[in-house]
Amino acid sequence: MLHHHLLSSSASSFPPAAAQSLLLLPRPPAAILRALISMAASTSSSIPFRPPRAVLAAAVPSLGAEETAAAADEAFRRHTSPGLRRAVGAGGVAVVWFRSDLRVLDNEALARAWAASGVVLPVYCVDPRALAGATHRFGFPKTGALRAQFLIECLGDLKRNLQKRGLDLLVRHGKPEDILPAIAKAVSAHTVYAHKETCSEELLVERLVRRGLEQVVLPQGQGGASGRNNRPLSPKLQLVWGATMYHTDDLPFPVSNLPDVYTQFRKAVESKSSVRSCGKLPPSLGPAPGSGLDELGGWGSIPTLESLGLSVTKSEKGMRFVGGESAALGRVHEYFWKNDQVKVYKETRNGMLGPDYSTKFSPWLASGSLSPRYVCEEVKRYEKQQVANDSTYWVLFELIWRDYFRFLSAKYGNSIFHLGGPRKVASKWSQDEALFESWKDGRTGYPLIDANMKELLATGFMSNRGRQIVCSFLVRDMGIDWRMGAEWFETCLLDYDPASNYGNWTYGAAGPLTGVGNDPREDRYFSIPKQAKTYDPDGKYVAYWLPELRSLAKERRNFPGASYIKQVVPLKFDGGHQRKDQQFNRQTRPKNIYRRQK
């Protein structure tokens, strides 16, 4: 199952047909909305769905700038402690190497650097291997333009949030293993703090940075760098765990003994582990270094799409996610508190149309602009003040899935990228380029597949339900190498992170013949006709993304026959494979979910 609710998310029943289109647009005045709904109620259902045109995609969150800033400020206020002091004997300069942790709130690497030093220097390296490179096997762009734009916005917001707290963000273009040793030498930093990663490319960079720092010799008495015999020392690389809701040190087993079945993992951590509280912040994280920056050429500049050789055409459809920690905190506020949607999340999470069928937290979780522990705290706060039910629990259920894939990548290493997956299953796959291109471009002849793929191209996002469907179609009906799909998602997704993406694809490719993942359910086939009838019964989703279907009667939009392009492959199966998936989704909130949580 492709678990990207939080990864995607929201709630609320859909309004009548004519008002349905408003889900993807800025909210109109209440009087106009009431008039539209009234018109829709009196309109014959035979009139085809016609989404409005020439209107830009809806922003997520939909809050204005002032409301977003207010929500972020309130979150920071609740997590600021005026009484915090640096550790006794703290001094010198510490560098914070930002990676996929582009936030200030609940950033343990930043907090440790502040506590252990007198001066903090935040650094971000614009690594050409990540932004201008190609995927490992099939050579797709490593980072698509939509995710690059989202990253640029995240960096701009991070810089502003650091400036508000007495720091700034030093931006350098190049490889971290070249940049960080030079910076540490220029400012005489005793330690470089960073969050630890789990996948091979990121681990290699960590090793190279450590090796580079070992070659730096700091003068005696500078940067807190003198040893017992006043011998010069090299800067250290201090890696901190901070990517998951459950800390790796709090698991009831070593990662090497991680259960291979998600349910076993979930039940173990829910009953035996606790989620740590978000770290508190001092009112100021300053000062920033007063010397050494001139040698480095100043603070540098955040890249633009143009400087990266990329461009984005503004979409008139779907959603546009706003990058940055402030937007992330604004979205949590909007979803939990302003719109009060989390209480029906489980009922609406399988939707596909509009911003508010699911949380949509996933792009900020993937960039590290949002802490999963902060989401957990907000769930508990909501349950205390509003209601606790299966929907509020299901938000945590999905975050545990995200944790599971991260720990699974640590356990199995590179095997999650291999053809046979963690189980090393030998299977024959096609790499038919023409078939794959039809899937990638949304030209398969199956409206539900094509609409989802066009949404991905236009927005960098796809619903959790959509991901499961297009994965099953590529692997089962087309017989295409699942790694081609995984690498294309790597290019396109705003919420890409290697552990979740490849972990989900190995699960999606699991089955009696393929079986590359750890899914105990033997058959992961999704019947396209059944999925269409269940999750897009009126064809509103496919009509939104495929204008040529708008004139068809709603019951024909997913089954247009000769009115649509020819189907590139026949379906291998047709229904009867949903029962286990439905049983999986009927799990409910454990009564002792917070028994051990602090």
Side-chain angles (χ1 to χ4, degrees), residues 436-465:
F436 179 76
E437 289 289 324
S438 69
W439 178 85
K440 177 174 75 73
D441 297 337
R443 296 182 288 101
T444 67
Y446 293 92
L448 193 59
I449 301 299
D450 296 348
N452 273 286
M453 297 307 294
K454 288 185 183 297
E455 180 181 17
L456 177 64
L457 283 170
T459 68
F461 189 82
M462 187 190 295
S463 69
N464 176 70
R465 178 58 50 178

PDB file of all heavy atoms in Angstrom, residues 436-465:
ATOM      1  N   PHE A 436       6.012   2.468 -21.067  1.00  0.00           N
ATOM      2  CA  PHE A 436       6.298   3.303 -19.910  1.00  0.00           C
ATOM      3  C   PHE A 436       5.974   4.765 -20.186  1.00  0.00           C
ATOM      4  O   PHE A 436       5.415   5.460 -19.328  1.00  0.00           O
ATOM      5  CB  PHE A 436       7.766   3.166 -19.487  1.00  0.00           C
ATOM      6  CG  PHE A 436       8.120   4.033 -18.304  1.00  0.00           C
ATOM      7  CD1 PHE A 436       7.726   3.676 -17.028  1.00  0.00           C
ATOM      8  CD2 PHE A 436       8.807   5.220 -18.480  1.00  0.00           C
ATOM      9  CE1 PHE A 436       8.020   4.486 -15.937  1.00  0.00           C
ATOM     10  CE2 PHE A 436       9.112   6.039 -17.409  1.00  0.00           C
ATOM     11  CZ  PHE A 436       8.719   5.661 -16.129  1.00  0.00           C
ATOM     12  N   GLU A 437       6.313   5.252 -21.373  1.00  0.00           N
ATOM     13  CA  GLU A 437       6.023   6.650 -21.721  1.00  0.00           C
ATOM     14  C   GLU A 437       4.527   6.916 -21.690  1.00  0.00           C
ATOM     15  O   GLU A 437       4.085   7.988 -21.283  1.00  0.00           O
ATOM     16  CB  GLU A 437       6.595   6.976 -23.107  1.00  0.00           C
ATOM     17  CG  GLU A 437       8.117   7.059 -23.152  1.00  0.00           C
ATOM     18  CD  GLU A 437       8.668   8.282 -22.445  1.00  0.00           C
ATOM     19  OE1 GLU A 437       8.025   9.349 -22.511  1.00  0.00           O
ATOM     20  OE2 GLU A 437       9.736   8.161 -21.816  1.00  0.00           O
ATOM     21  N   SER A 438       3.726   5.951 -22.133  1.00  0.00           N
ATOM     22  CA  SER A 438       2.273   6.149 -22.100  1.00  0.00           C
ATOM     23  C   SER A 438       1.777   6.273 -20.662  1.00  0.00           C
ATOM     24  O   SER A 438       0.867   7.056 -20.384  1.00  0.00           O
ATOM     25  CB  SER A 438       1.559   5.004 -22.819  1.00  0.00           C
ATOM     26  OG  SER A 438       1.662   3.787 -22.095  1.00  0.00           O
ATOM     27  N   TRP A 439       2.363   5.502 -19.747  1.00  0.00           N
ATOM     28  CA  TRP A 439       2.018   5.606 -18.319  1.00  0.00           C
ATOM     29  C   TRP A 439       2.488   6.944 -17.764  1.00  0.00           C
ATOM     30  O   TRP A 439       1.729   7.665 -17.106  1.00  0.00           O
ATOM     31  CB  TRP A 439       2.669   4.440 -17.572  1.00  0.00           C
ATOM     32  CG  TRP A 439       2.470   4.416 -16.091  1.00  0.00           C
ATOM     33  CD1 TRP A 439       1.403   3.895 -15.412  1.00  0.00           C
ATOM     34  CD2 TRP A 439       3.386   4.898 -15.093  1.00  0.00           C
ATOM     35  NE1 TRP A 439       1.587   4.033 -14.047  1.00  0.00           N
ATOM     36  CE2 TRP A 439       2.806   4.644 -13.824  1.00  0.00           C
ATOM     37  CE3 TRP A 439       4.638   5.513 -15.140  1.00  0.00           C
ATOM     38  CZ2 TRP A 439       3.435   4.990 -12.631  1.00  0.00           C
ATOM     39  CZ3 TRP A 439       5.266   5.866 -13.949  1.00  0.00           C
ATOM     40  CH2 TRP A 439       4.674   5.606 -12.720  1.00  0.00           C
ATOM     41  N   LYS A 440       3.732   7.292 -18.033  1.00  0.00           N
ATOM     42  CA  LYS A 440       4.345   8.508 -17.496  1.00  0.00           C
ATOM     43  C   LYS A 440       3.600   9.767 -17.926  1.00  0.00           C
ATOM     44  O   LYS A 440       3.406  10.694 -17.149  1.00  0.00           O
ATOM     45  CB  LYS A 440       5.806   8.567 -17.943  1.00  0.00           C
ATOM     46  CG  LYS A 440       6.564   9.808 -17.518  1.00  0.00           C
ATOM     47  CD  LYS A 440       8.040   9.699 -17.888  1.00  0.00           C
ATOM     48  CE  LYS A 440       8.290   9.901 -19.351  1.00  0.00           C
ATOM     49  NZ  LYS A 440       8.136  11.311 -19.794  1.00  0.00           N
ATOM     50  N   ASP A 441       3.153   9.785 -19.182  1.00  0.00           N
ATOM     51  CA  ASP A 441       2.506  10.975 -19.738  1.00  0.00           C
ATOM     52  C   ASP A 441       0.995  10.979 -19.563  1.00  0.00           C
ATOM     53  O   ASP A 441       0.337  11.947 -19.954  1.00  0.00           O
ATOM     54  CB  ASP A 441       2.833  11.103 -21.227  1.00  0.00           C
ATOM     55  CG  ASP A 441       4.322  11.295 -21.480  1.00  0.00           C
ATOM     56  OD1 ASP A 441       5.023  11.766 -20.559  1.00  0.00           O
ATOM     57  OD2 ASP A 441       4.779  10.966 -22.592  1.00  0.00           O
ATOM     58  N   GLY A 442       0.433   9.898 -19.018  1.00  0.00           N
ATOM     59  CA  GLY A 442      -1.013   9.836 -18.874  1.00  0.00           C
ATOM     60  C   GLY A 442      -1.717   9.595 -20.191  1.00  0.00           C
ATOM     61  O   GLY A 442      -2.680  10.277 -20.540  1.00  0.00           O
ATOM     62  N   ARG A 443      -1.265   8.569 -20.946  1.00  0.00           N
ATOM     63  CA  ARG A 443      -1.851   8.235 -22.245  1.00  0.00           C
ATOM     64  C   ARG A 443      -2.109   6.732 -22.344  1.00  0.00           C
ATOM     65  O   ARG A 443      -1.845   6.111 -23.352  1.00  0.00           O
ATOM     66  CB  ARG A 443      -0.928   8.674 -23.380  1.00  0.00           C
ATOM     67  CG  ARG A 443      -0.700  10.160 -23.502  1.00  0.00           C
ATOM     68  CD  ARG A 443       0.197  10.504 -24.694  1.00  0.00           C
ATOM     69  NE  ARG A 443       1.597  10.110 -24.459  1.00  0.00           N
ATOM     70  CZ  ARG A 443       2.177   9.035 -24.949  1.00  0.00           C
ATOM     71  NH1 ARG A 443       1.495   8.179 -25.688  1.00  0.00           N
ATOM     72  NH2 ARG A 443       3.451   8.764 -24.686  1.00  0.00           N
ATOM     73  N   THR A 444      -2.613   6.136 -21.302  1.00  0.00           N
ATOM     74  CA  THR A 444      -2.792   4.683 -21.285  1.00  0.00           C
ATOM     75  C   THR A 444      -4.137   4.244 -21.852  1.00  0.00           C
ATOM     76  O   THR A 444      -4.323   3.065 -22.156  1.00  0.00           O
ATOM     77  CB  THR A 444      -2.683   4.129 -19.854  1.00  0.00           C
ATOM     78  OG1 THR A 444      -3.808   4.598 -19.082  1.00  0.00           O
ATOM     79  CG2 THR A 444      -1.385   4.551 -19.192  1.00  0.00           C
ATOM     80  N   GLY A 445      -5.082   5.172 -21.945  1.00  0.00           N
ATOM     81  CA  GLY A 445      -6.429   4.806 -22.359  1.00  0.00           C
ATOM     82  C   GLY A 445      -7.335   4.463 -21.197  1.00  0.00           C
ATOM     83  O   GLY A 445      -8.524   4.203 -21.393  1.00  0.00           O
ATOM     84  N   TYR A 446      -6.811   4.486 -19.988  1.00  0.00           N
ATOM     85  CA  TYR A 446      -7.605   4.275 -18.774  1.00  0.00           C
ATOM     86  C   TYR A 446      -7.697   5.622 -18.050  1.00  0.00           C
ATOM     87  O   TYR A 446      -6.696   6.109 -17.500  1.00  0.00           O
ATOM     88  CB  TYR A 446      -6.960   3.216 -17.877  1.00  0.00           C
ATOM     89  CG  TYR A 446      -6.971   1.839 -18.490  1.00  0.00           C
ATOM     90  CD1 TYR A 446      -5.901   1.390 -19.253  1.00  0.00           C
ATOM     91  CD2 TYR A 446      -8.063   0.993 -18.331  1.00  0.00           C
ATOM     92  CE1 TYR A 446      -5.903   0.138 -19.841  1.00  0.00           C
ATOM     93  CE2 TYR A 446      -8.083  -0.278 -18.907  1.00  0.00           C
ATOM     94  CZ  TYR A 446      -7.001  -0.690 -19.662  1.00  0.00           C
ATOM     95  OH  TYR A 446      -7.030  -1.944 -20.241  1.00  0.00           O
ATOM     96  N   PRO A 447      -8.873   6.256 -18.030  1.00  0.00           N
ATOM     97  CA  PRO A 447      -8.983   7.615 -17.482  1.00  0.00           C
ATOM     98  C   PRO A 447      -8.455   7.754 -16.060  1.00  0.00           C
ATOM     99  O   PRO A 447      -7.804   8.762 -15.742  1.00  0.00           O
ATOM    100  CB  PRO A 447     -10.485   7.887 -17.556  1.00  0.00           C
ATOM    101  CG  PRO A 447     -10.958   7.082 -18.716  1.00  0.00           C
ATOM    102  CD  PRO A 447     -10.146   5.815 -18.660  1.00  0.00           C
ATOM    103  N   LEU A 448      -8.700   6.776 -15.197  1.00  0.00           N
ATOM    104  CA  LEU A 448      -8.267   6.906 -13.804  1.00  0.00           C
ATOM    105  C   LEU A 448      -6.743   6.940 -13.705  1.00  0.00           C
ATOM    106  O   LEU A 448      -6.185   7.686 -12.893  1.00  0.00           O
ATOM    107  CB  LEU A 448      -8.833   5.761 -12.968  1.00  0.00           C
ATOM    108  CG  LEU A 448      -8.717   5.928 -11.450  1.00  0.00           C
ATOM    109  CD1 LEU A 448      -9.432   7.189 -10.973  1.00  0.00           C
ATOM    110  CD2 LEU A 448      -9.286   4.700 -10.738  1.00  0.00           C
ATOM    111  N   ILE A 449      -6.064   6.147 -14.519  1.00  0.00           N
ATOM    112  CA  ILE A 449      -4.604   6.170 -14.556  1.00  0.00           C
ATOM    113  C   ILE A 449      -4.119   7.494 -15.133  1.00  0.00           C
ATOM    114  O   ILE A 449      -3.247   8.173 -14.571  1.00  0.00           O
ATOM    115  CB  ILE A 449      -4.056   4.999 -15.397  1.00  0.00           C
ATOM    116  CG1 ILE A 449      -4.516   3.656 -14.825  1.00  0.00           C
ATOM    117  CG2 ILE A 449      -2.527   5.068 -15.481  1.00  0.00           C
ATOM    118  CD1 ILE A 449      -4.054   3.374 -13.425  1.00  0.00           C
ATOM    119  N   ASP A 450      -4.682   7.879 -16.262  1.00  0.00           N
ATOM    120  CA  ASP A 450      -4.201   9.066 -16.970  1.00  0.00           C
ATOM    121  C   ASP A 450      -4.427  10.336 -16.167  1.00  0.00           C
ATOM    122  O   ASP A 450      -3.573  11.232 -16.148  1.00  0.00           O
ATOM    123  CB  ASP A 450      -4.902   9.168 -18.328  1.00  0.00           C
ATOM    124  CG  ASP A 450      -4.561   8.002 -19.242  1.00  0.00           C
ATOM    125  OD1 ASP A 450      -3.617   7.258 -18.901  1.00  0.00           O
ATOM    126  OD2 ASP A 450      -5.231   7.822 -20.268  1.00  0.00           O
ATOM    127  N   ALA A 451      -5.571  10.444 -15.491  1.00  0.00           N
ATOM    128  CA  ALA A 451      -5.847  11.636 -14.684  1.00  0.00           C
ATOM    129  C   ALA A 451      -4.845  11.766 -13.545  1.00  0.00           C
ATOM    130  O   ALA A 451      -4.336  12.860 -13.263  1.00  0.00           O
ATOM    131  CB  ALA A 451      -7.275  11.575 -14.141  1.00  0.00           C
ATOM    132  N   ASN A 452      -4.534  10.659 -12.874  1.00  0.00           N
ATOM    133  CA  ASN A 452      -3.568  10.703 -11.777  1.00  0.00           C
ATOM    134  C   ASN A 452      -2.185  11.105 -12.272  1.00  0.00           C
ATOM    135  O   ASN A 452      -1.493  11.899 -11.622  1.00  0.00           O
ATOM    136  CB  ASN A 452      -3.514   9.343 -11.073  1.00  0.00           C
ATOM    137  CG  ASN A 452      -4.544   9.208  -9.977  1.00  0.00           C
ATOM    138  OD1 ASN A 452      -4.406   9.793  -8.898  1.00  0.00           O
ATOM    139  ND2 ASN A 452      -5.600   8.451 -10.247  1.00  0.00           N
ATOM    140  N   MET A 453      -1.770  10.554 -13.399  1.00  0.00           N
ATOM    141  CA  MET A 453      -0.440  10.884 -13.903  1.00  0.00           C
ATOM    142  C   MET A 453      -0.358  12.332 -14.381  1.00  0.00           C
ATOM    143  O   MET A 453       0.685  12.981 -14.241  1.00  0.00           O
ATOM    144  CB  MET A 453      -0.050   9.923 -15.021  1.00  0.00           C
ATOM    145  CG  MET A 453       0.055   8.459 -14.586  1.00  0.00           C
ATOM    146  SD  MET A 453       1.125   8.174 -13.145  1.00  0.00           S
ATOM    147  CE  MET A 453       2.728   8.637 -13.819  1.00  0.00           C
ATOM    148  N   LYS A 454      -1.445  12.860 -14.913  1.00  0.00           N
ATOM    149  CA  LYS A 454      -1.447  14.271 -15.312  1.00  0.00           C
ATOM    150  C   LYS A 454      -1.432  15.186 -14.094  1.00  0.00           C
ATOM    151  O   LYS A 454      -0.816  16.254 -14.117  1.00  0.00           O
ATOM    152  CB  LYS A 454      -2.638  14.551 -16.217  1.00  0.00           C
ATOM    153  CG  LYS A 454      -2.484  13.934 -17.601  1.00  0.00           C
ATOM    154  CD  LYS A 454      -3.602  14.315 -18.537  1.00  0.00           C
ATOM    155  CE  LYS A 454      -3.438  13.602 -19.889  1.00  0.00           C
ATOM    156  NZ  LYS A 454      -2.199  14.001 -20.603  1.00  0.00           N
ATOM    157  N   GLU A 455      -2.101  14.778 -13.032  1.00  0.00           N
ATOM    158  CA  GLU A 455      -2.031  15.559 -11.792  1.00  0.00           C
ATOM    159  C   GLU A 455      -0.598  15.594 -11.257  1.00  0.00           C
ATOM    160  O   GLU A 455      -0.110  16.637 -10.817  1.00  0.00           O
ATOM    161  CB  GLU A 455      -2.964  14.983 -10.721  1.00  0.00           C
ATOM    162  CG  GLU A 455      -2.918  15.783  -9.426  1.00  0.00           C
ATOM    163  CD  GLU A 455      -3.811  15.242  -8.329  1.00  0.00           C
ATOM    164  OE1 GLU A 455      -4.242  14.064  -8.418  1.00  0.00           O
ATOM    165  OE2 GLU A 455      -4.073  15.983  -7.362  1.00  0.00           O
ATOM    166  N   LEU A 456       0.078  14.456 -11.296  1.00  0.00           N
ATOM    167  CA  LEU A 456       1.468  14.400 -10.843  1.00  0.00           C
ATOM    168  C   LEU A 456       2.338  15.354 -11.650  1.00  0.00           C
ATOM    169  O   LEU A 456       3.152  16.105 -11.086  1.00  0.00           O
ATOM    170  CB  LEU A 456       1.992  12.973 -10.958  1.00  0.00           C
ATOM    171  CG  LEU A 456       3.464  12.754 -10.595  1.00  0.00           C
ATOM    172  CD1 LEU A 456       3.710  13.063  -9.128  1.00  0.00           C
ATOM    173  CD2 LEU A 456       3.893  11.327 -10.929  1.00  0.00           C
ATOM    174  N   LEU A 457       2.184  15.349 -12.960  1.00  0.00           N
ATOM    175  CA  LEU A 457       2.986  16.226 -13.811  1.00  0.00           C
ATOM    176  C   LEU A 457       2.700  17.695 -13.545  1.00  0.00           C
ATOM    177  O   LEU A 457       3.608  18.527 -13.569  1.00  0.00           O
ATOM    178  CB  LEU A 457       2.697  15.914 -15.287  1.00  0.00           C
ATOM    179  CG  LEU A 457       3.352  14.657 -15.870  1.00  0.00           C
ATOM    180  CD1 LEU A 457       2.768  14.356 -17.240  1.00  0.00           C
ATOM    181  CD2 LEU A 457       4.861  14.813 -15.960  1.00  0.00           C
ATOM    182  N   ALA A 458       1.443  18.031 -13.291  1.00  0.00           N
ATOM    183  CA  ALA A 458       1.047  19.429 -13.126  1.00  0.00           C
ATOM    184  C   ALA A 458       1.354  19.985 -11.758  1.00  0.00           C
ATOM    185  O   ALA A 458       1.636  21.180 -11.611  1.00  0.00           O
ATOM    186  CB  ALA A 458      -0.444  19.582 -13.422  1.00  0.00           C
ATOM    187  N   THR A 459       1.313  19.121 -10.720  1.00  0.00           N
ATOM    188  CA  THR A 459       1.389  19.631  -9.341  1.00  0.00           C
ATOM    189  C   THR A 459       2.524  19.051  -8.508  1.00  0.00           C
ATOM    190  O   THR A 459       2.868  19.614  -7.464  1.00  0.00           O
ATOM    191  CB  THR A 459       0.071  19.334  -8.594  1.00  0.00           C
ATOM    192  OG1 THR A 459      -0.054  17.919  -8.390  1.00  0.00           O
ATOM    193  CG2 THR A 459      -1.132  19.837  -9.378  1.00  0.00           C
ATOM    194  N   GLY A 460       3.083  17.909  -8.918  1.00  0.00           N
ATOM    195  CA  GLY A 460       4.071  17.235  -8.081  1.00  0.00           C
ATOM    196  C   GLY A 460       3.438  16.442  -6.959  1.00  0.00           C
ATOM    197  O   GLY A 460       4.123  16.012  -6.034  1.00  0.00           O
ATOM    198  N   PHE A 461       2.130  16.231  -7.039  1.00  0.00           N
ATOM    199  CA  PHE A 461       1.421  15.520  -5.970  1.00  0.00           C
ATOM    200  C   PHE A 461       0.431  14.540  -6.569  1.00  0.00           C
ATOM    201  O   PHE A 461      -0.072  14.732  -7.683  1.00  0.00           O
ATOM    202  CB  PHE A 461       0.675  16.513  -5.071  1.00  0.00           C
ATOM    203  CG  PHE A 461       0.092  15.876  -3.829  1.00  0.00           C
ATOM    204  CD1 PHE A 461       0.879  15.663  -2.719  1.00  0.00           C
ATOM    205  CD2 PHE A 461      -1.232  15.483  -3.802  1.00  0.00           C
ATOM    206  CE1 PHE A 461       0.347  15.057  -1.581  1.00  0.00           C
ATOM    207  CE2 PHE A 461      -1.770  14.873  -2.676  1.00  0.00           C
ATOM    208  CZ  PHE A 461      -0.971  14.671  -1.563  1.00  0.00           C
ATOM    209  N   MET A 462       0.173  13.477  -5.826  1.00  0.00           N
ATOM    210  CA  MET A 462      -0.857  12.510  -6.181  1.00  0.00           C
ATOM    211  C   MET A 462      -1.397  11.933  -4.891  1.00  0.00           C
ATOM    212  O   MET A 462      -0.658  11.751  -3.922  1.00  0.00           O
ATOM    213  CB  MET A 462      -0.277  11.393  -7.056  1.00  0.00           C
ATOM    214  CG  MET A 462      -1.325  10.422  -7.630  1.00  0.00           C
ATOM    215  SD  MET A 462      -0.574   8.967  -8.421  1.00  0.00           S
ATOM    216  CE  MET A 462       0.287   9.719  -9.796  1.00  0.00           C
ATOM    217  N   SER A 463      -2.688  11.663  -4.866  1.00  0.00           N
ATOM    218  CA  SER A 463      -3.307  11.114  -3.658  1.00  0.00           C
ATOM    219  C   SER A 463      -2.731   9.749  -3.325  1.00  0.00           C
ATOM    220  O   SER A 463      -2.173   9.059  -4.180  1.00  0.00           O
ATOM    221  CB  SER A 463      -4.818  10.989  -3.851  1.00  0.00           C
ATOM    222  OG  SER A 463      -5.116   9.973  -4.807  1.00  0.00           O
ATOM    223  N   ASN A 464      -2.921   9.354  -2.078  1.00  0.00           N
ATOM    224  CA  ASN A 464      -2.499   8.019  -1.657  1.00  0.00           C
ATOM    225  C   ASN A 464      -3.207   6.946  -2.474  1.00  0.00           C
ATOM    226  O   ASN A 464      -2.591   5.989  -2.952  1.00  0.00           O
ATOM    227  CB  ASN A 464      -2.799   7.827  -0.177  1.00  0.00           C
ATOM    228  CG  ASN A 464      -2.482   6.430   0.310  1.00  0.00           C
ATOM    229  OD1 ASN A 464      -1.331   6.049   0.406  1.00  0.00           O
ATOM    230  ND2 ASN A 464      -3.510   5.655   0.616  1.00  0.00           N
ATOM    231  N   ARG A 465      -4.497   7.101  -2.653  1.00  0.00           N
ATOM    232  CA  ARG A 465      -5.250   6.130  -3.441  1.00  0.00           C
ATOM    233  C   ARG A 465      -4.730   6.078  -4.873  1.00  0.00           C
ATOM    234  O   ARG A 465      -4.549   5.010  -5.453  1.00  0.00           O
ATOM    235  CB  ARG A 465      -6.738   6.506  -3.410  1.00  0.00           C
ATOM    236  CG  ARG A 465      -7.654   5.630  -4.229  1.00  0.00           C
ATOM    237  CD  ARG A 465      -7.614   4.164  -3.849  1.00  0.00           C
ATOM    238  NE  ARG A 465      -7.766   3.907  -2.432  1.00  0.00           N
ATOM    239  CZ  ARG A 465      -7.795   2.692  -1.888  1.00  0.00           C
ATOM    240  NH1 ARG A 465      -7.680   1.625  -2.657  1.00  0.00           N
ATOM    241  NH2 ARG A 465      -7.918   2.543  -0.582  1.00  0.00           N
TER     242      ARG A 465
END
